[in-house]
Amino acid sequence: GAGVSQSPRYKVAKRGQDVALRCDPISGHVSLFWYQQALGQGPEFLTYFQNEAQLDKSGLPSDRFFAERPEGSVSTLKIQRTQQEDSAVYLCASSSTSVWETQYFGPGTRLLVL
Amino acid sequence: GNSVTQMEGPVTLSEEAFLTINCTYTATGYPSLFWYVQYPGEGLQLLLKATKADDKGSNKGFEATYRKETTSFHLEKGSVQVSDSAVYFCALAGYSSASKIIFGSGTRLSIRP
């Protein structure tokens, strides 16, 4: 079946612009995670949803970052007033059940803030 | 807090050479341990995992053993191929649906024909 998809794949934004990144998890997957991967580094956790509930947002770096999953499927990560340090690849991952299972990652959205 | 430290790269080997990429971790409790791989132009994929001490994860000729006494999870392969060229990430997570994955910084592996 289809894997995790993300859009757009690439986004160039001017400093100060707002951006919205979309994640379509594997159908039926309960858990959804967002990670940020800076160049040359491993991914770092941003936030976690179980269905529509955001259970952990401890990794969001500032209040400019906001994520939602209103119907428990598609999720959107929004970054307001983008800064150059926000430039990174944003990864979405989903897993199937309420017991820990393998997280399946999407291809990521590469964000460049100029 | 929990953390993962892995061997810095890049690592360059000739085809059919033996591979070891070191990984050590710091964690409370009994985390699950993983190796993820990122091939050029592709997304992160789970390569193998181990969920308790002394477990050995294996896949595609790669192996790693969960060593609680040395807090290590080193990745090994007896004979690498050009197609193994990728970035490898060691990672850990707790055992719950709310468990975020904590990744190491990655090791870039290049295999020469």
Side-chain angles (χ1 to χ4, degrees):
Chain A
V4 177
S5 61
Q6 293 185 244
S7 61
R9 292 292 310 277
Y10 303 93
K11 177 70 178 178
V12 179
K14 292 182 180 177
R15 191 160 52 96
Q17 279 186 330
D18 297 349
V19 298
L21 312 180
R22 176 186 170 108
C23 172
D24 284 82
I26 293 172
S27 179
H29 275 195
V30 169
S31 297
L32 186 145
F33 299 79
W34 284 97
Y35 295 84
Q36 179 190 59
Q37 186 175 17
L39 188 64
Q41 298 297 314
E44 292 191 358
F45 171 79
L46 293 176
T47 187
Y48 161 68
F49 290 86
Q50 187 173 98
N51 296 306
E52 68 278 5
Q54 189 175 20
L55 299 185
D56 186 348
K57 53 183 181 179
S58 62
L60 296 176
S62 78
D63 59 6
R64 296 186 295 104
F65 286 70
F66 172 77
E68 60 183 4
R69 194 186 185 197
E71 298 178 356
S73 55
V74 172
S75 177
T76 303
L77 176 67
K78 298 180 180 178
I79 309 174
Q80 298 177 323
R81 304 181 303 282
T82 52
Q83 304 295 314
Q84 286 187 320
E85 61 263 29
D86 300 335
S87 297
V89 176
Y90 291 86
L91 297 170
C92 176
S94 68
S95 62
S96 62
T97 68
S98 59
V99 176
W100 199 97
E101 285 289 346
T102 297
Q103 291 184 24
Y104 294 90
F105 282 81
T109 294
R110 184 176 297 275
L111 173 65
L112 177 62
V113 181
L114 301 177
Chain B
N2 295 349
S3 66
V4 175
T5 302
Q6 68 180 98
M7 179 175 169
E8 289 192 14
V11 173
T12 302
L13 296 172
S14 296
E15 203 166 21
E16 298 184 2
F18 183 85
L19 168 70
T20 301
I21 301 178
N22 290 336
C23 172
T24 58
Y25 68 91
T26 301
T28 54
Y30 301 93
S32 294
L33 301 176
F34 311 90
W35 278 98
Y36 277 81
V37 59
Q38 195 167 35
Y39 297 104
E42 298 185 18
L44 271 174
Q45 302 174 24
L46 178 66
L47 179 61
L48 54 84
K49 69 178 183 182
T51 58
K52 60 183 187 294
D54 300 325
D55 267 3
K56 178 185 285 188
S58 61
N59 187 24
K60 299 182 180 180
F62 290 89
E63 293 183 340
T65 301
Y66 190 141
R67 301 284 189 200
K68 190 163 179 61
E69 64 276 13
T70 54
T71 62
S72 65
F73 193 56
H74 304 320
L75 182 68
E76 295 182 338
K77 186 174 186 182
S79 176
V80 292
Q81 305 301 312
V82 172
S83 58
D84 295 326
S85 298
V87 181
Y88 292 81
F89 294 93
C90 185
L92 66 81
Y95 186 74
S96 85
S97 63
S99 291
K100 60 193 176 190
I101 299 176
I102 295 172
F103 289 88
S105 57
T107 302
R108 181 174 298 277
L109 174 65
S110 297
I111 307 300
R112 294 187 299 250

